[in-house]
Amino acid sequence: KNGKWDLKIRCLVLNQCDGLLSRPIFTQEPHDVIFPLDLSKSEIILNCAANGHPSPHYRWKQNGTDIDFTMSYHYRLEGGSLAISSPHTDQDIGMYQCLATNLLGTILSRKAKLQFAYIEDFETKTRSTVSVREGQGVVLLCGPPPHFGDLSYAWTFNDNPLYVQEDNRRFVSQETGNLYIAKVEPSDVGNYTCFITNKEAQRSVQGPPTPLVQRTDGVMGEYEPKIEVRFPETIQAAKDSSVKLECFALGNPVPDISWRRLDGSPLPGKVKYSTSQAILEIPNFQPEDEGFYECIASNLRGRNLAKGQLIFYAPPEWEQKIQNTYLSIYDSLLWECKASGKPNPWYTWLKNGERLNPEERIQIENGTLIITMLNVSDSGVYQCAAENKYQIIYANAELRVLASAPDFSKSPVKKNLFVQVGGDIVIECKPNAFPRAAISWKRGTETLRQSKRIFILDIVEVQKRYFIVMERTVITVPPSKMDVTVGESIVLPCQVSHDPSIEVVFIWFFNGDVIDLKKGVAHFERIGGESVGDLMIRNIQLNHSGKYLCTVQTTLESLSAVADIIVRGPPGPPEDVKVEDISSTTSQLSWRPGPDNNSPIQIFTIQTRTPFSVGWQAVATVPEILNGKTYNATVVGLSPWVEYEFRIVAGNSIGIGEPSKPSELLRTKASVPVVAPVNVNGGGGSRSELVITWESIPEELQNGEGFGYIVMFRPVGSTTWTKEKVASVESSRFVYRNESIIPLSPFEVKVGAYNDEGEGSLSTVTIVYSGEDEPQLAPRGTSVQSFSASEMEVSWNAIAWNRNTGRVLGYEVLYWTDDSKESMIGKIRVSGNITTKNITGLKANTIYFASVRAYNTAGTGPSSPPVNVTTKKSPPSQPPANIAWKLTNSKLCLNWEHVKTMENESEVLGYKILYRQNRQSKTHILETNNTSAELLVPFEEDYLIEIRTVSDGGDGSSSEEIRIPKMSSLSSRGIQVLEPSTHFLSIVFVIFCCFAIQPLIR
C-alpha cells in the first residue's frame, strides 16, 4: 500500500537492504548564535543538513517542543535549515535542535542556543563630581547599562577623541569597566567619559561625563599599595582557551605589579603581559597551567597580594564511538561508548531522537547499552550522548535487527555431486535465515536419520523437555572504585541479568550499615528498573567516603559487589594558631594543619586584620612561599603599635579551604615614627603671621603613645631654624606670629613627628609665604550685558598689581537689584586672570547692578563703580499647539500654529524641533523661522518629537512629546509605506510644507 514502507519491509524483514537504505548522517549541524537585537528585521538561519537514502526530512525543536511550521509564518524550513524571520527576544530565545528522519530512523543534532545581544543607553542624569587630592588614588565607575553580550570598555578625557592610554598609573578593567588611577596628578583634572562597545549587538554607547577635580586642602602622602582590581579566588579555565587575569593597585608611589606561581614553578613561557603588567594572559590553556597564581603590588611603602586558583576543564571528546551493527532477531546487543573530559562526562542514550530508558530487556549503565532478545522493533538509529556541564556530544549508529525465512538463493544446494564408490561426501546446507534455521534432510520422500554412515551436524544448546531450566543471576555491571570531588553527583551502578521468572531485590550498604532508601535518606536515591539497582549520591560530601556494597538477592541465591569511594575536597581549617613572638614590625606564628580531605595540602596563607584594615588581608612572610609541609613562619612588614589578629588558610588542588579561628588580639611594640608628614604647605593668614599646614598622620602610622608634631622654619637665606612642638595628635596647622615678619616673605618649612620613643624623620623643605595685605586697587572698565531673561555677563579689566598695591589672586563679582548694598543678593568668585563672568538664575525684565573687587589670602580690596542692565523679558509661556504630522515614503511633514506672546513676554523669533529615536539618548535639533518643517529620516524605530519657541528671553515651553511610530507599524495597520533605501539621516528645510502655505514670522 505504501511504497516507502514496502521498501522498509523488504529491507528489515526480507533482509534485502543492500543498496536500498542508509541512515541519516549529519553533514551540517546548528551552532550557538548571538544575534543583535537592533537587527530584529533581519533573518536568522540555523543550519542543518544530512545525507541518507531515502533523503531525510527535517523537523526542529525549540526548548524541547516541536515547532509547528503549519501554524507560524515566523519559522520556515530552507532544506533542513531553520529560518527565523523578524526574530523577537521573548518568542525566539532558547535552545534549538534539528531532527533528521528517514525510513531507518531519526538522529538528533547538537543543541544550539539562540540569544539576543543588546545594550541600552546610559541614564542621562548628571554624574557626581569626584574630588581627590593630588597623590591620592581614585576609581571612576563606568556602571554599564542593562545589556547582554560581551562588552569592551574605553575612556576618553575631556574633548580628546583618543582613548585614555593605559600605563603603570592608569588602568581600564575589562571586567568592571572602571577607570583606575593609581596616583592622581594635576594633569588628570577634567571630565572622563566611559565608552562601551557590544560587538555582538553591533552597538556602542557613551556614558555621561564624570568630573574629576582636585581638592585644595593638601597633597596625599605616600602610602602602601591597595589592590582594587583582583581576579577571583577560583577561575574555571577551558582547554585551549586564553585566560586573562587582571590586577591593579592604587598607591603612592605608583605600585609595580609582578606575578608568580605559588607552587614555585616558573610561569609558562607562553604568558603575555599588558604594558603595565596589570594583565597576565595565558594562551592555549592546558592541564599543566592550572594551579595557584599570585599578583604582587609593591612600592616603597609596602606591598599587597592577590591570589587565586586556575582550574582546568575540558568539554567531552570521543575516545570510543558506537558503530553500525546488524544482528539477528533474538540475539543480544552490547554497545559501549567512551569520552574524555573534565569533569568526567555522564551518558544518556537515545533511539530515533527520543531518550531511551532502562526496561526489562534494556540495561543502561553510563556508556554501556545492553538489549537482550532483540526483535524487529528494536531496529533504528541510536545515539550515545556524552555530557558534562560545558558541552554535550553525540555518537550515532544504526541497529538493524534481521528476521527472514530460510532462503537458498545466495547459497543453493548443488543439484549434482560426483563421488567414487566407497568415498566420503559432504553436502552443505547453508540457508540465509534469521534466526538460524532448524535443518532436516530427506532422500526422495524418505527422511534421513543419523547412522553409522550418515552424520547430520547441528548444534542445540538446551532441550527443554522434562526439566525447568532457569538462567543464573549475574551482576553484569558492578559498582567500581571512584574518585570524586565534594559537591558532585555520582551514580554507583549495580545491574544484573536474571531469569524473567525470578524477582530480584537490591540492598545497599555503606561502611557495613544498610542504606534505608525507603526513609528518604538525604543524598541517596535508587534509580533504574527491575534489573537495575543503581545508587545515586547527590551533592556528595566528605563523610560519604568509604565502602559501598551492593547485594542482589533472589529466592535461589545471593550475590554482592563492593566498591571504594574517595571524596576529595578543599582542606579543613588549620588549628592551634599561636603567636609566639611579636616585635614592632614582625611576628612569629605556628599552627597545625587541619584535615587534608583526601587531597594533600599544597599551600598555606597567613592573613591579618587590624582596626584600620578592610577585612582580612594576606601578608608577606618568611619564607615567602608556605608549602603544605610548613607549619611556622615569620610575618613581616607589620606597623608598630597596632593591634593585630592572625589566621591561616590552606589550599590544595581542589580549592581554598575555610580559615582557621583568629588568634588572640596582640599589639606590636612601639617605635619612633617612620612616616613624615606630607602635603606640607601654608600661607595666607593675617599680616605678621606665618601659617603652616600639613596632612595629619593616621593613627596606624603613629607608632606609639605621646604622639605630636615638630615644626621647623626659617626665612629664606637664614641659617638658624626656629623649632616648635605641637602636642595635639590631630593637629594639622600651626600659626607663628611676629610683628617683624614682612608681608609675603618666603620661609623654608619642614615638619616631623615624635612620640615617647623619640623623634622621627622630617619632611622635605617647602617654601611657604607669610601673610599679606589686601589688594589696594579697584578694577576698571566694568560693564554688563543681558543675554536672556535669566542671565547676564559682567566683564572688567585686569589689575596690574605689584607688591606695594597688593597681590591679586582673583576677582569677586557682587550683584544686586537696587543701588543699596544692604539688598545685595549675589556674590561669586573667579580665580586667576579671568575678566568675565556669566551669572545665571536671574529674574526676567529686572534691573540688576554689579561691581567687581580683587581678593587675595588677606581679604578683598575696594569695589569698582556699579554698573546696571535690565534682563530680557520672559520667553513665551505657551507651547506650540495644534501640531499635525504626516508620514509618507520616509518623509515626515510637521505643521503647527504660530505662538502668540503676552505683553510681558519676549517675541517669538523662531522654533526648535527636537527629535530622537525611541531608544537613543542623542537628540537632534532643527531650527526654523516657519511654522512647518519636513524631515527625511529612516523610520526603523519610533521617533519622539517636541517643538519649542525661540526668543530673546531664551527658549520657551516645549510642546508635549509626540511619538511617530516606525514605518513597519504603520504598514501592519494597512497604511502603505515605502521602506527607506538609505541609512543616513538628512534634514530638509522647507517654507512650503505639505499641509499649507505658512507666512514668515516677523
Side-chain angles (χ1 to χ4, degrees), residues 23-26 29 106-110 318 321-324 335 337 349-350 380-385 393-399:
R23 67 179 175 87
I25 299 175
F26 281 121
E29 295 187 65
T106 300
I107 52 174
L108 185 66
S109 75
R110 70 164 63 98
W318 287 119
K321 295 183 179 181
I322 56 176
Q323 303 296 329
N324 290 346
W335 260 337
C337 60
W349 288 84
L350 300 97
V381 179
Y382 288 74
Q383 293 176 284
C384 175
I393 57 177
Y394 296 91
N396 311 331
E398 177 194 355
L399 170 63

Side-chain angles (χ1 to χ4, degrees), residues 570-744:
E575 302 169 352
D576 198 21
V577 178
K578 293 181 180 178
V579 182
E580 297 175 344
D581 185 28
I582 193 163
S583 69
S584 59
T585 59
T586 65
S587 178
Q588 301 285 336
L589 265 71
S590 65
W591 62 91
R592 290 189 298 107
D596 67 6
N597 292 334
N598 298 318
S599 183
I601 296 174
Q602 297 175 340
I603 191 169
F604 290 102
T605 302
I606 299 179
Q607 299 176 337
T608 65
R609 181 172 63 182
T610 73
F612 313 107
S613 66
V614 180
W616 291 90
Q617 306 219 345
V619 289
T621 60
V622 176
E624 194 171 12
I625 297 175
L626 308 179
N627 62 41
K629 300 297 183 182
T630 303
Y631 306 135
N632 55 72
T634 301
V635 179
V636 297
L638 303 178
S639 298
W641 200 245
V642 172
E643 291 181 324
Y644 281 91
E645 290 177 287
F646 300 88
R647 73 180 188 183
I648 317 294
V649 178
N652 59 17
S653 61
I654 307 301
I656 303 293
E658 291 294 318
S660 68
K661 293 180 180 179
S663 68
E664 58 179 324
L665 191 66
L666 293 174
R667 184 186 291 272
T668 51
K669 293 181 179 179
S671 71
V672 297
V674 175
V675 177
V678 295
N679 283 344
V680 176
N681 214 316
S686 303
R687 182 187 179 95
S688 304
E689 286 185 346
L690 176 64
V691 178
I692 301 170
T693 61
W694 61 90
E695 187 175 315
S696 59
I697 294 177
E699 182 182 349
E700 63 267 29
L701 299 177
Q702 294 174 4
N703 292 6
E705 293 184 306
F707 182 83
Y709 297 95
I710 299 169
V711 181
M712 299 182 69
F713 53 92
R714 66 183 179 187
V716 172
S718 172
T719 58
T720 305
W721 290 92
T722 300
K723 181 178 180 180
E724 301 283 349
K725 281 194 172 184
V726 181
S728 173
V729 172
E730 298 179 355
S731 293
S732 60
R733 189 172 186 268
F734 173 75
V735 179
Y736 174 72
R737 295 179 178 86
N738 191 314
E739 294 296 329
S740 64
I741 296 178
I742 299 173
L744 211 61

